[in-house]
Amino acid sequence: QVQLVESGGGLVQAGGSLRLSCVASGSFRSINFMGWYRQAPGEQRELVARIISGGTKNYADSVKGRFTIYSDDAKNTVYLQMNSLKPDDTAAYYCNMNCNVDLGTSRVYWGKGTKVTVSS
């Protein structure tokens, strides 16, 4: 069974910073990509940032220049450094991973989420 465990959320003032971490554990062969989504109350879940095997990174337009995604492949961990936080960044942040669990079989997993609240 594959598990994703997030940490690092919390309450921060506008302009502040937080770093989210997500550790993947369990049985899988390799990771295709890992990333972060967020969901604000009453809103749809949206992609924040994603890092693809090989190093390509994608960011939502709303976070470009403020958030940085990076990974430690040896630890199966992905991080999201969030700077210059705004109240609009308030949401539950979910870790997401697409991995190969067997030859020719990939699966998508989600963490349980960590809350980020940015006060004005």
Side-chain angles (χ1 to χ4, degrees):
Q1 188 71 0
V2 175
Q3 268 195 318
L4 301 178
V5 178
E6 304 108 330
S7 61
L11 173 64
V12 65
Q13 286 190 328
S17 298
L18 284 174
R19 189 182 78 160
L20 306 183
S21 302
C22 172
V23 181
S25 63
S27 179
F28 53 90
R29 296 172 66 91
S30 60
I31 297 172
N32 295 317
F33 57 82
M34 289 184 78
W36 293 92
Y37 284 70
R38 68 185 180 187
Q39 188 169 19
E43 302 290 333
Q44 287 192 331
R45 193 171 293 191
E46 62 174 1
L47 175 67
V48 177
R50 182 174 66 178
I51 183 166
I52 301 170
S53 174
T56 300
K57 301 177 183 181
N58 305 127
Y59 294 94
D61 288 343
S62 59
V63 307
K64 281 180 183 174
R66 301 188 297 122
F67 291 10
T68 302
I69 189 169
Y70 59 100
S71 63
D72 183 335
D73 294 343
K75 296 181 179 178
N76 292 327
T77 301
V78 66
Y79 303 92
L80 185 68
Q81 178 66 44
M82 306 186 294
N83 298 329
S84 303
L85 282 160
K86 305 175 182 179
D88 283 351
D89 296 317
T90 295
Y93 283 70
Y94 296 90
C95 182
N96 167 271
M97 179 175 77
N98 180 300
C99 63
N100 296 312
V101 296
D102 204 345
L103 284 175
T105 302
S106 63
R107 295 223 173 111
V108 176
Y109 295 92
W110 291 90
K112 293 183 179 179
T114 184
K115 261 191 173 180
V116 172
T117 303
V118 184
S119 64
S120 55

